[in-house]
Amino acid sequence: MLRALLALLAVVAVTVACSRLPIGDVPPTLAEEIAAEAAALEPGQVPVLALSPVGDIWTILSTRHVDRDDIDPAALAEGAVDRLIVAADRLELFDETIPAAAVPRPESLPEEFAPLWDAWSAVYAADAGDAPPDPVALSRTAMRGIVDALDDPHSAYVPPQEFALEDLEFTGSYQGVGAEVHAHEDTFTLTPMPDSPAEKAGLRPGDRLLTVDGVSVVGWTTLDVVSKVRGPSDTVVVLGVIHEGETAAVEISITRGPINLQSVTWQSTPSGHAYVRLSGFYANTDEALEDVLKEIIEADAHGLILDVRNNPGGLLSTTVNIASMFLDGGLVVYELDGAGERREWNAKDGGVAKDLPLILLVNQHSASAGEVLAGALQDRDRATVVGVRTFGKGSVNQLAPLSDGGGLYYSYGRWYTPNGCLIEGSGLGPDVEVERGPIQRDEQMLHALDLIAEIAPAPSG
């Protein structure tokens, strides 16, 4: 699934849900026919097959996207045309109005995208006396224009080479820099994994990404960032960033290396409580946390501080399993799709730590699955949440195949906490708001230690 792909590509854009469409909805693959048509193209000829995936995209968005009733197809077509004109480098053809296409619009391209066909035909029908633009590359540019115009930061066109990797498992280790990327409106922010090459090189949580190897990321998708930052061990990538709270840009050189997706660490506090750090929700995180909780309980810890600050999220199944450790059944989270259909995920009965006093630490970089866990524990009165408002990534995403061999990653639904709070957009507020404070003094952690001592004091004597 795409969440696995992004993890293994070294910059992880983690989602709490991603699934394929049912097999009956997979369009026939035209990749070979599209490539053959492109290879045989002569000046003045108008290719047809390369635009077929646009029809697939419109079918998916108009029938499955969470905001499908509010999508303006004219705006999507305009976005595709704008990107097409610039990429084709033939602006002189469009000084005034785009001429109507002489070649009839193919049935594979919906009527809503007739303006795209007119622009496409104008680019190719004009014999410029040299080789025509690559229709495969130009079609992908147009599709990215459609997704950009959708104004959904969690949607993306996935080229065939990335889509082919989507069955990789989201577990184990990989090579890269070890940082997660969050798309938020027109910017990307980064969070380094603990003890990763990115963290060792000086990348900080919340760093805003400006450039990769000197190239601006303006107009990029998350997958564009992934493909540029990824790479084998012992190679170097230079990231231009602005640290959170600062204004000056800095360049950070990172030597890529092996990344171990270890996500659970813990230690005892001097007061006899336990502190557990969750850095992600990977395929093995729930098993690792259960082992840690058993150790904590056997050690007779009086209470637990669970830290999901700077945690970008991960797998929904893992998140529900972790919530189950602190609950005794009941609702964890529910999803609403664009048709208003509701799907629920419930905790298992008899959580191993359901009676252990609990403080949950969150911050502005706690996202996705971390927010699902926070919402469940907060709404179910199971934990006191300390920190600041969370990131606000609560979309449910699916990866749908397209006829060019690529795919469309799109928002299918949205997550809600048990009490009906929408996660997407505004995030979740803490029970006790505490800013982190200076780097050398973690005010949130200090406040959590005070609270856990009040809730679960050490026995006297």
Side-chain angles (χ1 to χ4, degrees), residues 247-327:
T247 57
V250 296
E251 288 192 338
I252 299 177
S253 295
I254 306 173
T255 301
R256 301 177 178 101
I259 309 300
N260 182 16
L261 297 179
Q262 181 179 356
S263 54
V264 182
T265 57
W266 83 281
Q267 64 186 67
S268 295
T269 71
S271 58
H273 302 91
Y275 167 80
V276 174
R277 164 81 176 125
L278 285 184
S279 58
F281 292 80
Y282 308 135
N284 60 353
T285 301
D286 48 355
E287 295 179 359
L289 179 61
E290 185 171 16
D291 290 341
V292 164
L293 288 176
K294 289 177 180 177
E295 288 183 41
I296 290 171
I297 292 170
E298 288 176 3
D300 199 25
H302 315 309
L304 169 64
I305 297 172
L306 185 62
D307 190 350
V308 295
R309 292 177 296 178
N310 305 321
N311 185 320
L315 306 180
L316 177 63
S317 57
T318 298
T319 309
V320 173
N321 288 341
I322 288 175
S324 297
M325 297 176 195
F326 301 101
L327 297 169

Side-chain angles (χ1 to χ4, degrees), residues 161-203:
Q161 61 269 30
E162 279 87 5
F163 186 82
L165 299 176
E166 56 90 24
D167 282 328
L168 294 172
E169 292 295 328
F170 186 35
T171 184
S173 62
Y174 64 96
Q175 296 178 357
V177 303
E180 293 91 8
V181 59
H182 309 269
H184 195 271
E185 296 181 348
D186 297 326
T187 63
F188 298 102
T189 57
L190 303 174
T191 300
M193 295 177 179
D195 201 33
S196 65
E199 184 181 65
K200 292 175 181 177
L203 198 70

Side-chain angles (χ1 to χ4, degrees), residues 383-401:
T384 300
V385 179
V386 176
V388 296
R389 183 167 291 275
T390 60
F391 183 79
K393 201 294 182 182
S395 66
V396 188
N397 297 95
Q398 289 187 325
L399 179 60

Side-chain angles (χ1 to χ4, degrees), residues 434-447:
V434 182
E435 296 288 341
R436 191 194 184 287
I439 294 176
Q440 64 271 23
R441 182 178 172 85
D442 187 347
E443 296 289 353
Q444 293 167 341
M445 182 63 186
L446 293 173
H447 201 93

Side-chain angles (χ1 to χ4, degrees), residues 202-444:
L203 198 70
R204 304 175 190 170
D207 280 355
R208 181 159 65 92
L209 182 64
L210 302 178
T211 61
V212 177
D213 288 331
V215 179
S216 171
V217 299
V218 173
W220 286 16
T221 66
T222 300
L223 285 171
D224 292 330
V225 175
V226 167
S227 64
K228 299 298 182 183
V229 177
R230 67 169 295 190
S233 292
D234 300 323
T235 59
V236 176
V237 62
V238 180
L239 304 184
V241 302
I242 296 178
H243 295 311
E244 188 173 33
E246 299 181 7
T247 57
V250 296
E251 288 192 338
I252 299 177
S253 295
I254 306 173
T255 301
R256 301 177 178 101
I259 309 300
N260 182 16
L261 297 179
Q262 181 179 356
S263 54
V264 182
T265 57
W266 83 281
Q267 64 186 67
S268 295
T269 71
S271 58
H273 302 91
Y275 167 80
V276 174
R277 164 81 176 125
L278 285 184
S279 58
F281 292 80
Y282 308 135
N284 60 353
T285 301
D286 48 355
E287 295 179 359
L289 179 61
E290 185 171 16
D291 290 341
V292 164
L293 288 176
K294 289 177 180 177
E295 288 183 41
I296 290 171
I297 292 170
E298 288 176 3
D300 199 25
H302 315 309
L304 169 64
I305 297 172
L306 185 62
D307 190 350
V308 295
R309 292 177 296 178
N310 305 321
N311 185 320
L315 306 180
L316 177 63
S317 57
T318 298
T319 309
V320 173
N321 288 341
I322 288 175
S324 297
M325 297 176 195
F326 301 101
L327 297 169
D328 193 7
L331 185 61
V332 173
V333 67
Y334 67 90
E335 162 204 320
L336 288 181
D337 65 17
E341 295 293 326
R342 175 168 167 151
R343 183 181 178 190
E344 297 183 351
W345 282 264
N346 292 291
K348 303 175 182 128
D349 295 332
V352 63
K354 65 183 179 65
D355 298 319
L356 191 65
L358 180 62
I359 301 292
L360 186 69
L361 279 171
V362 300
N363 68 359
Q364 67 273 31
H365 305 302
S366 301
S368 191
E371 294 174 285
V372 170
L373 179 64
L377 299 180
Q378 185 179 53
D379 282 7
R380 299 282 304 277
D381 295 324
R382 180 60 188 87
T384 300
V385 179
V386 176
V388 296
R389 183 167 291 275
T390 60
F391 183 79
K393 201 294 182 182
S395 66
V396 188
N397 297 95
Q398 289 187 325
L399 179 60
L402 303 174
S403 55
D404 68 340
L408 178 68
Y409 187 62
Y410 70 100
S411 297
Y412 174 80
R414 295 203 172 95
W415 297 117
Y416 292 79
T417 70
N419 289 348
C421 180
L422 174 65
I423 295 173
E424 178 67 22
S426 60
L428 303 177
D431 297 311
V432 181
E433 185 167 358
V434 182
E435 296 288 341
R436 191 194 184 287
I439 294 176
Q440 64 271 23
R441 182 178 172 85
D442 187 347
E443 296 289 353
Q444 293 167 341

